[in-house]
Amino acid sequence: MDGIGTPAWTQRLRARMRDCDWVKRGVEQWKARLSAQVNRPLDIPLLGGGWSHRYICPDDGAALVCVDRHHHECPCCHSIWSGSPWDEAAVAEEHNRFAQDARLAAVVYAVSGEAVYAQWAKSVLLFYARHYDRFPLHDIFGKVGGEAGKYGAKVQNQTLSEASWIYPLAQTCTILRHASMLSAEELGEVGERLFRPVIRVIDRNPRDRSNWQTYHNAALAAIAEALGDAGLLKRALNNAANGFYFQMENGVGEDGFWFEGAWSYHFYTLEAQAVIAWAAMGFGEKLYEHPRLRAMFDIPLKAMLPDGTFPALHDSKVVDIRSYAHLYEWAYAFYGIGEEIVRSSDRGSLYGVLFGAPLETLPKAEQPGRGSSRESGTVCDDAGITVLSKPGMVSVTCGTGDEARALLVDYGEHGDWHGHYDKLNLLYYARGRSWLADAGMVPYGHELHKAWYVHTVAHNTVVVNGRSQQEACGRLRKAVSEAGIIRIEAEAEGAYEGVRLDRRLTLAGGLLVDVFRVTAGEPSTVDWVMHTQGNPVEAPPVRYTSVTAEALSDADGYPHLRQVRRLEGLPDDWMLEWSWNGEGGEDERLQVYGLAEPRGASIYLAESPFMPPVQVRSACIRRVPSCTRAAFVTVFRACRKGDAPLSLRLIGDPSDSQGLLLEVRDGEQGEAMLWTV
């Protein structure tokens, strides 16, 4: 593959423009987008950018929508916000758009020969070169100059953002340089007054294994290509504590999942890794052949939910794989995978125009995922079991259409700064709904991120003594499919001192059976917690007594529970039901059965914070006070409104790790099924 901007690259791009409808469509869309600004004077602000995580509504945490530089609207409550920090955050995005549009303009020039686009791209590049030293060093905390510390930057407010902003400008420079649209003096000016100073800013902040350093490396690699500096590329690739190869070895598991355990950060990091491989092509390097780079594209195809989304895990929101169709243009072109994702898009992205292969000319790749054999990190048997080894998660999918179900258990690494205190957290998808979902995140500038979203009580797991878990790493004991029954077993011993957590899950017959055992060295209060995007259906025989959240715990997220009610009058074997509170889910139900409830247990319902625009979920907490052993047996059933409850009987002692049986009947007269759980 030719380096960007070279004569061979330009010739191939122009041939693609003639032969590929989606390339022609993409370029025409870019020309329409750029037509207004390329014919008017530049209006680039000389204000350094603010932090995107503060570009939120202070009331509900929703990301704002820019009306203009000084007015910013909340899409949830429609409040208008002005001034600091919103104006600076909007300016940061303006700088990003100028860099990205300059790159698009350079590509449009390369494919069309229309000089107006090259001249505009060149004017953006030279503007930043001639004004970069006027931007003060600043950081997200408002510190300026020498006080900004190693994280601070100039056009943006942290080295991560500076790197993300500069690499499209470096690619712009590469295209213009090869097209002889920059004189030697101008190229020298851009190198010495923009690119080298940016490198000096970034070099102040080496970040070891991190998505930050991956973007630092992307900036170095793209600048290396722009300046023809092979030594700089070598540093981006080979630095022993920070480079591309170090990140691949230490940040990416053999299965391909990024170590932070958040799908948002997996794709975010993959964007930068692709830029590095792209820049390396200009030096004849074939980084796209690195097996872990391919694996980073491969693993999402195996682990996504049946609806093509990924759950909010750690510091991640819900991710739709279709929003990364541009990356799968690369994956399809280089590896022959991701065809269905490419087909789902309009193919007019930058990657689609530059790399997208005609769908009809490539052989269909074996779709990784359900049905093939696996070792660690690939699919097991015919059950769709995928072990995400680096962050320590196991993902399960089975069935199709309305019968498709999926679950995920997080048992492994904490995930560094982006991890949550959530060992043995359970997610469950059934009948097209994510009934048990992770808390996810709000932008880091909102107080609830640290006050609620990272805490254990915000997740579907167990809390001991009303306090969040410690950073810990558990282990997966079993993940198998046997005669249509899927069994998952995981444990964690370091989440609480002297406490062992053990979770066993059985997926069969349209049901999920959850047996969660807790063993403590001294009497402890144990809370089993679940959250669902549903509204609890009132159970008439049950009495509801309001209590304060602080009565459960005064710390670690509990005070953010609302409308807390204790349920009284429930039998030892009980069933509660929730109706889906999202669009199109009026008749969808989740039945939750609690069996052989531990002695002295109390059950609470509450409202819990959730990511915008949903904003609120329903929580169920089962509390056992002053115990050294507690066993919670739960059956989850996704069904339709009006479906009669199941008849369930537990045989054996729930606290015994062996020999526990569950008898399941559909109604009192239905045929009985007997499962080991």
Side-chain angles (χ1 to χ4, degrees):
M1 187 69 72
D2 304 304
I4 187 172
T6 61
W9 176 88
T10 302
Q11 183 177 6
R12 186 173 63 88
L13 179 59
R14 290 180 176 180
R16 290 169 60 78
M17 182 70 172
R18 292 192 303 270
D19 301 337
C20 304
D21 290 342
W22 73 91
V23 174
K24 189 180 307 179
R25 184 170 60 250
V27 172
E28 290 304 317
Q29 289 172 349
W30 300 344
K31 290 175 74 171
R33 168 178 164 179
L34 294 166
S35 60
Q37 55 188 326
V38 299
N39 289 302
R40 65 178 183 228
L42 286 179
D43 182 23
I44 299 177
L46 283 170
L47 178 67
W51 195 28
S52 62
H53 284 273
R54 290 204 180 98
Y55 198 57
I56 56 173
C57 177
D59 295 335
D60 52 42
L64 299 179
V65 176
C66 183
V67 179
D68 55 44
R69 280 181 182 168
H70 303 291
H71 298 89
H72 319 279
E73 183 176 10
C74 174
C76 291
C77 66
H78 302 291
S79 297
I80 300 293
W81 302 92
S82 297
S84 186
W86 306 288
D87 290 4
E88 293 91 339
V91 163
E93 185 54 32
E94 273 199 75
H95 288 306
N96 286 330
R97 282 199 304 273
F98 272 110
Q100 293 158 10
D101 285 353
R103 178 176 58 181
L104 290 183
V107 174
V108 170
Y109 166 70
V111 76
S112 70
E114 297 178 54
V116 64
Y117 295 99
Q119 292 297 338
W120 186 83
K122 175 178 173 178
S123 69
V124 173
L125 192 60
L126 289 174
F127 177 91
Y128 282 115
R130 291 166 181 170
H131 294 87
Y132 188 72
D133 61 353
R134 294 178 58 183
F135 288 91
L137 196 67
H138 64 290
D139 65 15
I140 65 173
F141 306 108
K143 296 180 179 178
V144 179
E147 294 184 358
K150 66 179 184 179
Y151 296 99
K154 292 171 75 67
V155 170
Q156 302 290 347
N157 65 6
Q158 52 185 2
T159 56
L160 168 65
S161 305
E162 199 90 338
S164 182
W165 160 75
I166 198 64
Y167 79 73
L169 286 173
Q171 293 172 321
T172 302
C173 180
T174 301
I175 296 171
L176 297 180
R177 174 172 67 86
H178 282 297
S180 299
M181 293 300 293
L182 289 169
S183 68
E185 292 76 13
E186 289 168 335
L187 182 61
E189 184 177 16
V190 170
E192 295 307 315
R193 297 186 62 184
L194 179 60
F195 293 151
R196 302 290 184 191
V198 166
I199 292 172
R200 288 194 289 272
V201 168
I202 291 172
D203 280 349
R204 295 161 45 256
N205 188 24
R207 294 291 295 172
D208 194 76
R209 181 182 71 161
S210 64
N211 63 74
W212 280 58
Q213 187 60 46
T214 303
Y215 273 86
H216 292 181
N217 294 339
L220 297 184
I223 291 172
E225 186 180 22
L227 301 180
D229 187 337
L232 185 58
L233 178 73
K234 184 177 180 180
R235 178 153 75 88
L237 303 186
N238 299 325
N239 184 286
N242 296 287
F244 171 86
Y245 291 112
F246 171 85
Q247 301 295 329
M248 284 297 179
E249 180 65 26
N250 294 279
V252 181
E254 290 184 6
D255 50 64
F257 197 32
W258 182 243
F259 80 99
E260 289 172 305
W263 285 108
S264 292
Y265 279 103
H266 176 86
F267 284 108
Y268 181 62
T269 305
L270 181 53
E271 294 264 13
Q273 303 287 34
V275 168
I276 298 168
W278 185 2
M281 292 177 195
F283 296 88
E285 297 271 0
K286 298 181 179 180
L287 294 188
Y288 53 83
E289 295 180 349
H290 195 292
R292 292 198 183 180
L293 181 57
R294 170 173 175 153
M296 289 186 76
F297 289 98
D298 228 351
I299 195 65
L301 302 177
K302 301 172 184 177
M304 62 185 174
L305 294 176
D307 63 357
T309 65
F310 300 90
L313 281 168
H314 295 192
D315 281 353
S316 179
K317 298 184 178 181
V318 174
V319 173
D320 192 321
I321 198 168
R322 289 168 286 258
S323 65
Y324 291 96
H326 62 289
L327 286 179
Y328 281 93
E329 293 281 7
W330 170 292
Y332 189 62
F334 285 99
Y335 315 126
I337 61 174
E339 176 183 348
E340 292 307 313
I341 301 162
V342 172
R343 287 188 186 277
S344 72
S345 73
D346 68 1
R347 310 202 69 190
S349 68
L350 182 66
Y351 280 88
V353 168
L354 298 185
F355 299 108
L359 292 168
E360 65 275 12
T361 65
L362 281 178
K364 279 198 174 186
E366 178 185 352
Q367 286 300 307
R370 307 149 183 84
S372 55
S373 62
R374 66 169 279 267
E375 298 297 334
S376 175
T378 57
V379 174
C380 177
D381 300 325
D382 59 355
I385 301 175
T386 303
V387 177
L388 305 168
S389 59
K390 195 68 176 177
M393 300 174 182
V394 58
S395 173
V396 176
T397 59
C398 65
T400 58
D402 286 344
E403 300 307 313
R405 285 169 293 145
L407 65 85
L408 183 141
V409 179
D410 181 352
Y411 62 86
E413 287 189 36
H414 179 70
D416 281 6
W417 199 86
H418 295 295
H420 291 188
Y421 303 96
D422 62 351
K423 288 290 87 64
L424 304 193
N425 184 28
L426 169 65
L427 311 183
Y428 182 49
Y429 170 103
R431 294 185 57 83
R433 317 284 173 189
S434 289
W435 285 104
L436 301 186
D438 190 277
M441 64 171 293
V442 288
Y444 308 136
H446 197 281
E447 63 178 10
L448 272 183
H449 178 69
K450 290 295 187 183
W452 168 258
Y453 286 90
V454 303
H455 284 295
T456 306
V457 72
H459 299 82
N460 303 307
T461 185
V462 157
V463 185
V464 177
N465 292 326
R467 295 296 183 265
S468 284
Q469 300 171 1
Q470 305 171 81
E471 292 188 15
C473 183
R475 71 184 185 97
L476 181 67
R477 293 202 312 267
K478 179 184 287 188
V480 298
S481 175
E482 302 168 332
I485 297 177
I486 298 167
R487 302 185 188 280
I488 306 295
E489 297 180 10
E491 65 182 6
E493 293 187 344
Y496 295 100
E497 186 175 354
V499 177
R500 182 173 183 272
L501 309 179
D502 180 293
R503 192 159 211 168
R504 297 188 177 195
L505 298 155
T506 305
L507 189 63
L511 304 178
L512 173 61
V513 184
D514 172 25
V515 181
F516 204 136
R517 297 183 176 92
V518 181
T519 306
E522 57 185 42
S524 303
T525 296
V526 178
D527 290 345
W528 176 96
V529 185
M530 64 155 268
H531 302 264
T532 184
Q533 188 182 326
N535 297 315
V537 177
E538 296 289 334
V542 178
R543 300 183 304 277
Y544 299 86
T545 302
S546 296
V547 300
T548 65
E550 287 76 10
L552 297 176
S553 175
D554 61 359
D556 291 0
Y558 278 84
H560 293 284
L561 295 170
R562 296 288 181 265
Q563 304 295 322
V564 183
R565 298 178 295 166
R566 185 173 63 248
L567 278 60
E568 298 173 345
L570 282 174
D572 288 345
D573 291 351
W574 51 264
M575 189 273 283
L576 296 173
E577 189 169 279
W578 279 262
S579 62
W580 184 257
N581 70 357
E583 183 179 352
E586 297 83 359
D587 293 330
E588 298 294 331
R589 296 290 186 269
L590 178 69
Q591 293 177 348
V592 179
Y593 299 80
L595 305 180
E597 200 70 0
R599 185 183 303 275
S602 298
I603 301 174
Y604 301 85
L605 294 180
E607 292 181 353
S608 60
F610 195 49
M611 299 175 291
V614 176
Q615 296 186 281
V616 66
R617 295 184 295 174
S618 175
C620 178
I621 300 174
R622 297 149 79 182
R623 166 163 286 194
V624 181
S626 191
C627 65
T628 56
R629 294 168 65 88
F632 302 92
V633 181
T634 317
V635 178
F636 299 96
R637 180 198 189 197
C639 57
R640 299 281 292 175
K641 180 180 179 181
D643 286 352
L646 299 172
S647 176
L648 304 175
R649 184 167 69 98
L650 201 62
I651 303 171
D653 183 353
S655 64
D656 187 354
S657 61
Q658 303 295 329
L660 190 62
L661 301 176
L662 177 66
E663 182 185 82
V664 182
R665 292 179 185 269
D666 191 354
E668 291 296 333
Q669 306 302 318
E671 182 179 351
M673 296 180 290
L674 196 64
W675 299 337
T676 301
V677 295

